[in-house]
Amino acid sequence: MYFFETYGFDGLKNMGIDVSLGIFSERLNDVILRFYTWKVPTLSLGKHQNSDDIDVDYLKENNLDLVRRPSGGRAVLHWDELTYSVVVPKNHELFKLGVLELYNLISRLLIEGLRRLGYPVELTEGKKKASTHVCFQVPSTYEITMNGVKVVGSAQTRTQDYILQHGSIVLIPHDEVKHCFKSTKNLDIPLIGLYNYQHKPMEEIAESIKLSFESRFGKARTLSKEIINEVVDNSESLIENFIVNVGK
């Protein structure tokens, strides 16, 4: 397993790096675990999510960025959170797993890491379908909840060369997400973050989750400076794919 951290990049760069890691994963031939944060609060849309309901004025007035993810799912407002991504190259045994099988595995590793720190998180077994644009409205199958409310929201994309799953581990929830859309401003969204239960440094949370992944995939290796430079440089050529043309 390889481990990679990048903190404070903007949304386009973050998505570009996730996909760039996927492109380079065949060369590395192992699972890659990445943790990252966002330069400014950023609304991300699923790959095929319609943008015509976005309240562009609200985003501008509140200095919220906007980006389209390479993965599916619904909108997430990335703010006070730790974001993770897991990349699986095509030659790895996990590449054979189905969507829900991989969700299940990754969620259980995340839960193990969070429980090690005392967070009472649980795995959602049943499937509930959100009725709005907002990802955190309800938990889906194999997502992670605390006190019955989703605290980790994840999405996945698959290509012939790699699988990318990434997700938002909420530290402090923000109901501003419902104001990002014209139709959801009066929506009652149950929101919770890890810090509603107890405060642990973000670095400690990341390290505990990393330990859980290491228990499954072996001791983490860091990417070489050469690979890091190539991944980051290549991400620049990808960012145009994540620009949101509002109304499309």
Side-chain angles (χ1 to χ4, degrees), residues 72-247:
R74 297 171 186 263
V76 177
L77 181 57
H78 306 277
W79 200 325
D80 291 301
E81 69 172 56
L82 173 65
T83 314
Y84 80 89
S85 65
V86 176
V87 175
V88 179
K90 67 179 180 182
N91 293 326
H92 195 278
E93 60 179 357
L94 292 188
F95 193 80
K96 301 174 183 176
L97 295 183
V99 174
L100 290 181
E101 289 177 300
L102 187 57
Y103 260 112
N104 188 12
L105 172 61
I106 293 175
S107 288
R108 289 182 185 279
L109 293 174
L110 293 170
I111 286 173
E112 179 183 311
L114 294 174
R115 284 181 176 172
R116 182 182 292 112
L117 298 177
Y119 291 107
V121 289
E122 297 179 339
L123 189 69
T124 299
E125 297 287 355
K127 182 174 179 60
K128 297 180 180 179
K129 187 175 178 62
S131 58
T132 71
H133 300 288
V134 180
C135 169
F136 278 82
Q137 182 188 4
V138 294
S140 297
T141 303
Y142 298 141
E143 288 196 307
I144 299 169
T145 60
M146 189 168 70
N147 297 334
V149 179
K150 185 190 297 191
V151 73
V152 180
S154 301
Q156 195 178 117
T157 186
R158 292 172 174 244
T159 75
Q160 63 181 6
D161 296 318
Y162 66 87
I163 301 171
L164 164 66
Q165 180 172 316
H166 49 195
S168 167
I169 304 170
V170 179
L171 305 178
I172 301 172
H174 289 273
D175 70 353
E176 287 91 339
V177 64
K178 69 182 184 182
H179 296 289
C180 294
F181 297 93
K182 300 169 187 175
S183 65
T184 61
K185 296 184 183 297
N186 297 316
L187 182 68
D188 183 19
I189 306 175
L191 295 173
I192 196 169
L194 295 181
Y195 289 174
N196 287 110
Y197 183 78
Q198 66 174 344
H199 188 286
K200 293 281 186 180
M202 185 175 65
E203 297 78 11
E204 189 174 342
I205 295 171
E207 180 63 24
S208 185
I209 293 172
K210 176 186 170 186
L211 287 173
S212 294
F213 275 79
E214 287 182 322
S215 70
R216 174 63 173 78
F217 300 111
K219 185 68 175 177
R221 294 164 285 172
T222 56
L223 297 175
S224 68
K225 288 184 179 180
E226 178 186 7
I227 290 292
I228 290 173
N229 290 337
E230 287 189 66
V231 165
V232 173
D233 289 346
N234 186 62
S235 70
E236 288 295 323
S237 66
L238 300 170
I239 60 176
E240 65 180 14
N241 298 314
F242 313 116
I243 296 171
V244 177
N245 297 310
V246 177

Side-chain angles (χ1 to χ4, degrees), residues 4 6 9-25 32-36 38 68-71 78 83-88 155 157 159 162-168 231-232 234-236 238-239 242:
F4 187 41
T6 60
F9 284 145
D10 63 30
L12 292 174
K13 191 74 170 178
N14 274 332
M15 297 300 93
I17 290 175
D18 269 355
V19 171
S20 189
L21 284 172
I23 293 170
F24 279 85
S25 64
I32 305 168
L33 172 65
R34 176 189 176 209
F35 288 117
Y36 56 100
W38 305 69
R68 188 174 294 282
R69 299 190 306 271
S71 58
H78 306 277
T83 314
Y84 80 89
S85 65
V86 176
V87 175
V88 179
T157 186
T159 75
Y162 66 87
I163 301 171
L164 164 66
Q165 180 172 316
H166 49 195
S168 167
V231 165
V232 173
N234 186 62
S235 70
E236 288 295 323
L238 300 170
I239 60 176
F242 313 116

